[in-house]
Amino acid sequence: MGPETADDAGVYRIGEGLALVDTVDIITPLVDDPFTFGRIAAANALSDVYAMGGRPVTAMNLAFFPACTLPGQILADIMAGGLDAVREAGACLVGGHTVEDHELKYGLSVTGLISTGRIVRNSTARPGDRLILTKPLGTGIVSTAIKADMVAPGVADEAIRWMTALNAAAAGLMLECEASACTDVTGFGLVGHACEMARGAGVTLEIALDAVPVMGGIMDLVADGLVPAGCYRNRDHYAPFVARSSAQEDRLIPLFDPQTSGGLLITLSPKSADSFLSMARDQGLFAVAVGEVLPAREHAVAIV
Ligand code: CO
Ligand code: CO
């Protein structure tokens, strides 16, 4: 599976029933603390392997660092944060490369293993399935507020907790419950990724606005205009594919917010969705039913 399928990662068969899952993701800093930034970048890069149903096995650092203007300790702290997340994932950091650059960026390439019979694609949702989301929305809005120095510490801390959290447990549960499709919510926002899922499968995803979980304090930041440009770009780009309710414009904003290290968006049969939600509850894992899969309608996504 290569780029033509627009899935979360590439998949390459290496033997009977076994394949590699390959992905790479690099981001610019969205928090001040270097260790935390490294941890977020790694959780974000690992996520595409989890979204396919894979198990991360190796990772390599990719750093772009302004060595003339920043002390080297910052890079060391960033990489320590990345290593922390890679270890938690049970994977090995096996190398990397650093390039001098005027803008700091960090990310990882991640290789995972997957059983060819258990690849969870993003284009295989079926009408009748339920839609589950495993992290609340708002990381782009909070990062914008952090950069503007206009965020309450509690609000930033909550967003950082979500961004540093791995999607490993949710992915394990998704395999156990035989999900029909999955992707992770990242740069295109919830609606953008829902559109990709819907178009890939030839279905419509109906999202219940009131059910969509949003991080604490987000609506206040939206009211203050702390919305990233990428959020409006997503909204304008996906507008032709989205049927919207007459809800207040503000309430729709978080659904287009570009996420870093966002949750998994999973489709499952109604029975499997029930088991997923109850098992998630037992494990103290966040999971919310946000909508359902319908036979194709005029729009790929309907927000109701
Ligand atoms: Co992805
Ligand atoms: Co990615």
Side-chain angles (χ1 to χ4, degrees):
M1 290 168 49
E4 65 284 350
T5 68
D7 228 308
D8 289 297
V11 179
Y12 184 82
R13 192 160 73 98
I14 51 169
E16 197 52 53
L18 191 65
L20 295 177
V21 191
D22 289 307
T23 182
V24 59
D25 233 306
I26 299 167
I27 59 173
T28 52
L30 27 66
V31 294
D32 292 329
D33 179 60
F35 183 92
T36 305
F37 167 53
R39 168 95 209 183
I40 292 170
N44 184 61
L46 289 158
S47 177
D48 278 327
V49 171
Y50 289 130
M52 303 294 297
R55 177 170 63 85
V57 287
T58 61
M60 292 209 261
N61 282 324
L62 294 159
F64 302 78
F65 191 71
C68 297
T69 52
L70 287 180
Q73 186 59 42
I74 290 189
L75 183 58
D77 291 347
I78 291 171
M79 287 184 176
L83 178 61
D84 188 59
V86 167
R87 281 201 179 128
E88 186 187 324
C92 297
L93 190 80
V94 294
H97 190 76
T98 300
V99 183
E100 178 149 9
D101 196 354
H102 57 271
E103 191 189 12
L104 172 60
K105 306 172 203 81
Y106 171 68
L108 301 97
S109 70
V110 182
T111 299
L113 290 174
I114 198 166
S115 312
T116 49
R118 304 191 76 187
I119 300 170
V120 187
R121 309 190 59 167
N122 67 358
S123 55
T124 40
R126 308 156 303 198
D129 283 347
R130 299 284 184 269
L131 194 59
I132 288 178
L133 178 65
T134 68
K135 286 184 188 176
L137 305 175
T139 73
I141 291 163
V142 173
S143 315
T144 303
I146 290 174
K147 283 188 185 122
D149 216 358
M150 285 180 68
V151 67
V155 172
D157 289 350
E158 186 193 344
I160 287 168
R161 260 201 315 281
W162 288 114
M163 288 191 285
T164 53
L166 301 185
N167 282 328
L173 212 50
M174 138 182 122
L175 287 172
E176 207 176 327
C177 295
E178 297 181 331
S180 56
C182 175
T183 193
D184 57 342
V185 180
T186 52
F188 301 148
L190 174 67
V191 168
H193 289 282
C195 265
E196 303 299 330
M197 279 184 113
R199 288 194 287 182
V203 296
T204 287
L205 296 196
E206 186 181 80
I207 296 175
L209 181 59
D210 288 337
V212 175
V214 173
M215 292 174 195
I218 291 296
M219 293 321 297
D220 292 335
L221 297 176
V222 170
D224 288 343
L226 292 161
V227 177
C231 187
Y232 294 118
R233 271 201 300 275
N234 284 339
R235 189 188 61 183
D236 296 345
H237 178 79
Y238 287 104
F241 312 107
V242 180
R244 286 144 58 149
S245 69
S246 54
Q248 276 182 306
E249 195 61 21
D250 270 11
R251 289 194 58 211
L252 296 171
I253 290 285
L255 278 67
F256 294 97
D257 186 39
Q259 303 296 285
T260 300
S261 188
L264 299 182
L265 184 61
I266 307 169
T267 60
L268 308 110
S269 72
K271 198 161 161 253
S272 298
D274 287 343
S275 346
F276 188 102
L277 292 170
S278 81
M279 277 156 54
R281 206 176 310 119
D282 292 346
Q283 295 178 21
L285 200 71
F286 185 90
V288 177
V290 295
E292 55 190 302
V293 184
L294 307 174
R297 293 183 175 178
E298 188 188 344
H299 295 92
V301 169
I303 303 171
V304 295

